[in-house]
Amino acid sequence: MMMQTRPDVVKCIFPSLTFANFLLQLKDNIEKFFTWFVEEGKATVRLKEPAVDICLSKADANSLKNFLSAARLADRGSDASSLPLSTLTPVRARDVEQPKKKLTIVSKKDYPLTSGFPYSLEQLQVSYCKLSRVDMRMLSLKALRKLDLSNNHIKKLPATIGDLSCLSELVLHNNHLESFSVALCLSTLQRTLQILDLSQNRLQALPAQFCQLRELVNLKLDDNELISLPFHIGRLSKLRFLSAAHNQLAVLPGDFRRLSLENLDLFGNPFVQPNSLDHKMNLTFPLPLQEMASRAVANLRITFGPDLIPAHLCRDLEVAKTCICSRVCVNFYIKTAVCMNLHQVSHTVVLVDDMGGTDAPVQQHFCSLSCYSEFLDNSLQRGIR
């Protein structure tokens, strides 16, 4: 919060307090004083609670020094009656700066090296500053709703971004990211993040836990090196806008069918025309006992966790596949790809290729040889290959 602070400005921070009582609230509550420019009538007092910066400007240097002296004494717990308040004069309301909520920096020369970011910021854009990592000072901005770090050189995201409990929009377009961590997927971003732009990076894959970000409405993955989309992408039930153009996607996960989008862009991916007769078989007869038990847990929707079964079995169950018969298979199945018109999952579809197509291959798993045979029979009858 940035404001010119004199007696009548106290009410902006601590409503209904007199100035003397305001000083009492400073006891053990000042994190730091910034007084480099006090002779120019400028200073900043950083409070612990609420977490705000009180920025003073256009002040008479002597009056400002008196105020800072009073604040220092108040921080130490001095009696208010002994504080030097008499020389402080009120400021006109029109001279009071309101809390700064939005800040845009698009040049390295404007990047703050010695001063911090205003604690009251809700929107922060820092672009074209050649940042190689996220400035940890940004992560103390607890009111931040939008963070735009596009067009920098960031290679890795700190897990502490997940501590920004109000963050609903994260823009990381045109950086050097090679991964998106599991920790971020399991952070408070699960409850807040609605818009995520990871376009023009170096991502080859996203973790399975990515689909825990269930508040996502708009996801941009264009111009990366993705060879697959998250296995359980269908769990993103609120997703309405998805773009993953110009990646290395050859086939879409089966869970893709569960999406309900308004706009979808998968242009420029090397999709392979599917043939139902081409398949990968990973079945044994009879099924191993572990596979049978895992299927039973999934089909009967039995609660499981690392406190009940080994962690590796939990990981297997997290990526269980669903057969066309609606039963589940885990590590033993038959896999093929089928053609799907993308209009089945999206109202508007950007053409997949220069030929004007809107079809793409989607993975299909089968829990048994009989399910696969039935599928082939139906496909052959419809003349589908």
Side-chain angles (χ1 to χ4, degrees), residues 70-259:
R72 285 192 177 94
L73 290 171
D75 183 45
R76 296 170 190 158
S78 296
D79 183 4
S81 62
S82 67
L83 300 179
L85 307 178
S86 59
T87 61
L88 298 176
T89 56
V91 68
R92 294 169 298 180
R94 66 174 179 267
D95 292 331
V96 177
E97 293 183 25
Q98 295 302 310
K100 195 172 185 66
K101 294 187 176 182
K102 184 176 181 180
L103 177 62
T104 299
I105 301 171
V106 291
S107 172
K108 192 172 183 179
K109 66 180 178 62
D110 296 328
Y111 192 79
L113 297 176
T114 56
S115 61
F117 295 98
Y119 276 17
S120 56
L121 282 181
E122 295 181 5
Q123 297 183 48
L124 174 61
Q125 178 183 356
V126 180
S127 301
Y128 303 102
C129 291
K130 299 183 180 179
L131 297 181
S132 59
R133 60 181 180 272
V134 178
D135 191 331
M136 299 305 287
R137 292 177 297 172
M138 300 175 186
L139 305 182
S140 64
L141 305 176
K142 300 305 181 182
L144 206 61
R145 297 182 181 277
K146 177 180 178 180
L147 178 59
D148 184 344
L149 298 175
S150 58
N151 300 293
N152 283 291
H153 299 162
I154 298 169
K155 296 181 179 179
K156 186 177 181 180
L157 299 175
T160 42
I161 285 184
D163 295 334
L164 296 174
S165 58
C166 295
L167 194 67
S168 62
E169 183 171 353
L170 180 58
V171 180
L172 296 160
H173 166 79
N174 193 23
N175 275 279
H176 298 167
L177 294 174
E178 296 180 354
S179 64
F180 193 89
S181 73
V182 171
L184 286 176
C185 300
L186 302 179
S187 69
T188 57
L189 296 182
Q190 290 183 351
R191 300 189 295 273
T192 62
L193 193 62
Q194 298 179 337
I195 300 173
L196 177 59
D197 187 348
L198 295 171
S199 59
Q200 279 190 244
N201 279 279
R202 302 172 181 175
L203 299 170
Q204 294 186 348
L206 294 170
Q209 295 84 352
F210 186 85
C211 298
Q212 298 286 349
L213 301 172
R214 298 193 183 188
E215 296 299 313
L216 278 177
V217 175
N218 191 330
L219 175 60
K220 296 181 180 180
L221 300 170
D222 310 274
D223 297 290
N224 277 280
E225 302 167 14
L226 293 170
I227 58 175
S228 64
L229 293 178
F231 184 81
H232 281 306
I233 194 170
R235 291 180 178 176
L236 301 178
S237 59
K238 296 185 179 181
L239 193 65
R240 295 296 177 264
F241 303 90
L242 172 61
S243 55
H246 301 289
N247 278 279
Q248 299 300 314
L249 302 175
V251 64
L252 302 174
D255 214 41
F256 200 87
R257 298 181 182 87
R258 296 173 56 194
L259 291 175

Side-chain angles (χ1 to χ4, degrees), residues 304-317:
F304 64 90
D307 56 327
L308 299 173
I309 60 176
H312 72 278
L313 296 181
C314 292
R315 289 192 292 270
D316 288 347
L317 285 166

Side-chain angles (χ1 to χ4, degrees), residues 6 59-69 87-89:
R6 291 183 186 169
D60 173 77
N62 291 327
S63 295
L64 179 58
K65 290 176 183 177
N66 285 337
F67 171 79
L68 294 173
S69 295
T87 61
L88 298 176
T89 56

Side-chain angles (χ1 to χ4, degrees), residues 286-353:
L287 288 173
L289 181 60
Q290 179 176 308
E291 175 73 11
M292 295 173 66
S294 296
R295 290 188 180 191
V297 168
N299 288 322
L300 297 175
R301 299 184 179 180
I302 298 173
T303 301
F304 64 90
D307 56 327
L308 299 173
I309 60 176
H312 72 278
L313 296 181
C314 292
R315 289 192 292 270
D316 288 347
L317 285 166
E318 281 296 326
V319 291
K321 296 84 179 167
T322 302
C323 178
I324 57 171
C325 70
S326 299
R327 291 191 293 266
V328 170
C329 46
V330 183
N331 291 318
F332 291 83
Y333 49 79
I334 299 172
K335 180 174 70 173
T336 187
V338 296
C339 191
M340 181 182 75
N341 190 300
L342 297 176
H343 280 290
Q344 294 180 28
V345 296
S346 180
H347 181 266
T348 303
V349 177
V350 176
L351 301 180
V352 172
D353 51 43

